[in-house]
C-alpha cells in the first residue's frame, strides 16, 4: 500500500536528463541504500523522461530503449525491489513527452497495464504536447482511472506545473501528489520563486494529494542538467527546510553516488524529516512579517501538539523577524509559553514577553520545533 505521507526518493532528471541507462539506475539505487538515505525514508528510484524508443512497438506498447536498458524494465524493477526499494517511471498526458518521446494520450489504459506488468510503483505524469482541445483535468482523471484499475498499487504523481487551474481539479483525478510550479533550477532565484509561489495555494495541498514543489537541488553544486550556477550551503539548507515545512514530497535530484557529507547531513536531517513526514499532514500557514513576501514565517501544527516555526529571510539584506504567541494560537493569559530547538544548529529558543524572534543573514532560515509548556 502507498503510505499516506509525502513520498520520498530520487529522480534522474535534475542531474542526468537524457543520459540515463541501466547501470546508472542500479548504481544509484545501491547508493540510496549504502548511504543511509533509504533508512531515512527515501524509497523511490524514479526514471524520468528519455527512457523509451522514439516510436511505439508493433503491438502499440511503449518500448524501452534497448541500448539504454538492455534487460528491459521488468528486470530493472525486480533488481530495485530486491534492494527493498520502489521503482518509478515517467510518461506524459500529451502526444509526446517533453523530450519528444511517445506519451500516453489516448493510450492510458494500455500504458497503465504495461507499467503494472513491469512492476512499477510510481508514475510521474507530465503535461507537454497536450492537444489544445483536450481538457487537462479529463486526461489526468483518465490516467488516474487506468492506474487504479491496472491491478497494481502505483503512486500517481501529476506534473501539470500548476497550469490550467490545476489546484482546482487535481484532487478529482486520483493523483497522490501534484506539481504546483514550473521546473526547479539549481539557483537561489529559482528556490526563492518556488517558495513564494506557494503563498496563494496552501489550501490545496495535504493528505491524499500532496503539493509537489519539484525535485530537490541540494547537493547539485552547479553540476548536471539543471545545475546552472549552484547555491551556497546556507541556501540549500533553506531550500530543504522550506520543502519540509510545506510538506512537499522529497525527491532528490543530485548524483547520490558522489554525495558529499554536508549534502547527506541536509537530506537526512531527522528533525526536518519528522516535520515533513508528520502523521497528521496538517497544511502550513504563513505569516508575512510586516506584510513582506521576502520574510515568510512558515508554521505547521504537528500531530503531537508541537509547532514547527520557520523564520525565513529571502531578501539580500540581514533581517530581524518576530512573531507573537497570539499569532500562533497560544494564549498568554493561560500561562503558556513556547520552547524549542533549532533543527540545524540545536540552538534553544524560548518565547519572551509572548514573542519569538530571530536575527537572520540574507538567504538563511531558522526552523524550530516548539513545545507548549507551562510558564
Amino acid at each position: 500500500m502507498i503510505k499516506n505521507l509525502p513520498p520520498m526518493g530520487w529522480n534522474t532528471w535534475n542531474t542526468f536528463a537524457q543520459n540515463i541507462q541501466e547501470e546508472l539506475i542500479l548504481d544509484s539505487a545501491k547508493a540510496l541504500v549504502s548511504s543511509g538515505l533509504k533508512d531515512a525514508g527515501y524509497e523511490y528510484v524514479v526514471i524520468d523522461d528519455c527512457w523509451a524508443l522514439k516510436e511505439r512497438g508493433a503491438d502499440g506498447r511503449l518500448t524501452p530503449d534497448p541500448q539504454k536498458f538492455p534487460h528491459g524494465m521488468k528486470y530493472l524493477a525486480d533488481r530495485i525491489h530486491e534492494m527493498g526499494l520502489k521503482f518509478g517511471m515517467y510518461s506524459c498526458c500529451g502526444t509526446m513527452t517533453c523530450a519528444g518521446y511517445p506519451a500516453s494520450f489516448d493510450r492510458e489504459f494500455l500504458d497503465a497495464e504495461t507499467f503494472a506488468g513491469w512492476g512499477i510503483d510510481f508514475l510521474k505524469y507530465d503535461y507537454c504536447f497536450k492537444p489544445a482541445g483536450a481538457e487537462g483535468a479529463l486526461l489526468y482523471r483518465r490516467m488516474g482511472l487506468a492506474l487504479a484499475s491496472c491491478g497494481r498499487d502505483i503512486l500517481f504523481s501529476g506534473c501539470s506545473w500548476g497550469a490550467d487551474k490545476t489546484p482546482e481539479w487535481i484532487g478529482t483525478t486520483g493523483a497522490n501528489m501534484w506539481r504546483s510550479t514550473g521546473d526547479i533550477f539549481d539557483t537561489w532565484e529559482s528556490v526563492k520563486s518556488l517558495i513564494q509561489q506557494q503563498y496563494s495555494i496552501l489550501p490545496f495541498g495535504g493528505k491524499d494529494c500532496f503539493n509537489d514543489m519539484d525535485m530537490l537541488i541540494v547537493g547539485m553544486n552547479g553540476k548536471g542538467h539543471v545545475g546552472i550556477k549552484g547555491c551556497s550551503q546556507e541556501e540549500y539548507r533553506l531550500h530543504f527546510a522550506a520543502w519540509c515545512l510545506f510538506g512537499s514530497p522529497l525527491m532528490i535530484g543530485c548524483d547520490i553516488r558522489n554525495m558529499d557529507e554536508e549534502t547527506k547531513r541536509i537530506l537526512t536531517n531527522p528533525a526536518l524529516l519528522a516535520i515533513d513526514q508528520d502523521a497528521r499532514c496538517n497544511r502550513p500557514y504563513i505569516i508575512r512579517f510586516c506584510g513582506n513576501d521576502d520574510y515568510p514565517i512558515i508554521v505547521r501544527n504537528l500531530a503531537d501538539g508541537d509547532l514547527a516555526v520557520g523564520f525565513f529571510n529571502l531578501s539580500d539584506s540581514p533581517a530581524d523577524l518576530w512573531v507573537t504567541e497570539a499569532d500562533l494560537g497560544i494564549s498568554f493569559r493561560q500561562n503558556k509559553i513556547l520552547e524549542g530547538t533549532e533543527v540545524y544548529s540545536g540552538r534553544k529558543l524560548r518565547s519572551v514577553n509572548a514573542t519569538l524572534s530571530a536575527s537572520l543573514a540574507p538567504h538563511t532560515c531558522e526552523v524550530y520545533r516548539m513545545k507548549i509548556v507551562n510558564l
Side-chain angles (χ1 to χ4, degrees):
M1 289 291 293
I2 298 168
K3 291 189 298 186
N4 202 359
L5 293 170
M8 298 171 60
W10 172 81
N11 181 292
T12 59
W13 185 256
N14 278 4
T15 294
F16 300 104
Q18 75 276 10
N19 299 313
I20 52 175
Q21 40 81 15
E22 181 178 287
E23 185 178 2
L24 166 69
I25 306 305
L26 290 175
D27 285 348
S28 296
K30 292 172 185 175
L32 203 68
V33 176
S34 63
S35 66
L37 289 170
K38 175 181 178 290
D39 290 339
Y42 295 93
E43 60 178 346
Y44 289 98
V45 176
V46 181
I47 300 173
D48 211 286
D49 204 349
C50 309
W51 58 266
L53 290 177
K54 284 288 188 174
E55 294 186 29
R56 289 176 177 263
D59 58 358
R61 295 182 183 270
L62 295 167
T63 304
D65 184 335
Q67 297 297 316
K68 295 179 178 179
F69 301 99
H71 294 96
M73 290 304 176
K74 179 65 167 63
Y75 168 88
L76 195 54
D78 288 347
R79 301 292 82 74
I80 289 171
H81 290 154
E82 288 169 1
M83 299 181 209
L85 299 168
K86 295 180 179 179
F87 180 45
M89 291 187 67
Y90 168 99
S91 190
C92 183
C93 75
T95 56
M96 294 193 298
T97 71
C98 298
Y101 292 78
S104 294
F105 177 73
D106 215 22
R107 305 285 187 101
E108 293 86 357
F109 284 83
L110 176 64
D111 289 354
E113 177 187 292
T114 299
F115 295 141
W118 289 341
I120 80 158
D121 308 292
F122 179 111
L123 179 67
K124 177 181 174 182
Y125 205 51
D126 224 328
Y127 208 64
C128 290
F129 294 101
K130 180 183 74 66
E135 184 182 354
L138 177 60
L139 298 183
Y140 270 48
R141 289 178 195 135
R142 189 183 296 165
M143 181 53 87
L145 285 172
L147 293 174
S149 60
C150 73
R152 184 172 178 82
D153 198 11
I154 298 177
L155 190 151
F156 184 16
S157 172
C159 185
S160 58
W161 330 312
D164 297 331
K165 300 181 179 179
T166 295
E168 298 180 10
W169 51 258
I170 192 65
T172 70
T173 67
N176 304 96
M177 54 189 274
W178 63 283
R179 268 279 296 283
S180 59
T181 68
D183 288 355
I184 195 169
F185 296 95
D186 188 15
T187 69
W188 164 249
E189 292 78 11
S190 179
V191 169
K192 177 178 177 178
S193 173
L194 296 187
I195 291 172
Q196 293 183 333
Q197 288 177 51
Q198 303 307 307
Y199 296 175
S200 63
I201 58 174
L202 293 180
F204 298 100
K207 189 166 285 191
D208 296 319
C209 198
F210 295 102
N211 177 352
D212 175 15
M213 297 171 64
D214 203 6
M215 294 166 283
L216 298 165
I217 55 168
V218 177
M220 291 195 65
N221 300 315
K223 301 175 183 177
H225 180 65
V226 303
I228 314 297
K229 59 183 180 181
C231 295
S232 69
Q233 293 303 319
E234 290 80 8
E235 290 165 347
Y236 284 140
R237 285 193 284 270
L238 182 151
H239 160 46
F240 188 70
W243 265 234
C244 289
L245 274 168
F246 280 124
S248 175
L250 302 176
M251 303 302 292
I252 300 169
C254 70
D255 184 353
I256 54 176
R257 302 169 306 168
N258 303 300
M259 181 175 53
D260 61 38
E261 285 302 311
E262 178 59 18
T263 296
K264 180 179 175 180
R265 277 193 291 271
I266 294 172
L267 293 174
T268 60
N269 183 286
L272 282 172
L273 290 178
I275 292 169
D276 182 80
Q277 300 287 297
D278 186 72
R280 286 288 298 274
C281 299
N282 287 330
R283 295 171 179 82
Y285 60 93
I286 293 177
I287 299 168
R288 300 181 209 183
F289 182 72
C290 294
N292 193 319
D293 285 352
D294 281 352
Y295 306 131
I297 300 171
I298 306 172
V299 188
R300 276 182 75 185
N301 291 13
L302 303 177
D304 62 356
D306 288 356
L307 279 173
V309 182
F311 298 90
F312 289 79
N313 181 6
L314 308 182
S315 80
D316 297 329
S317 302
D320 295 320
L321 310 186
W322 52 264
V323 62
T324 69
E325 288 181 347
D327 291 322
L328 303 176
I330 309 301
S331 173
F332 182 67
R333 291 187 177 182
Q334 295 183 51
N335 295 322
K336 302 290 185 182
I337 64 168
L338 289 168
E339 290 182 345
T341 303
E342 209 280 319
V343 297
Y344 285 122
S345 67
R347 175 176 176 258
K348 303 296 182 181
L349 181 65
R350 183 174 185 269
S351 55
V352 176
N353 296 324
T355 304
L356 296 171
S357 59
S359 296
L360 302 176
H363 305 185
T364 66
C365 70
E366 290 183 3
V367 178
Y368 295 87
R369 187 172 184 126
M370 311 295 300
K371 292 189 176 298
I372 303 170
V373 299
N374 292 325
L375 185 64

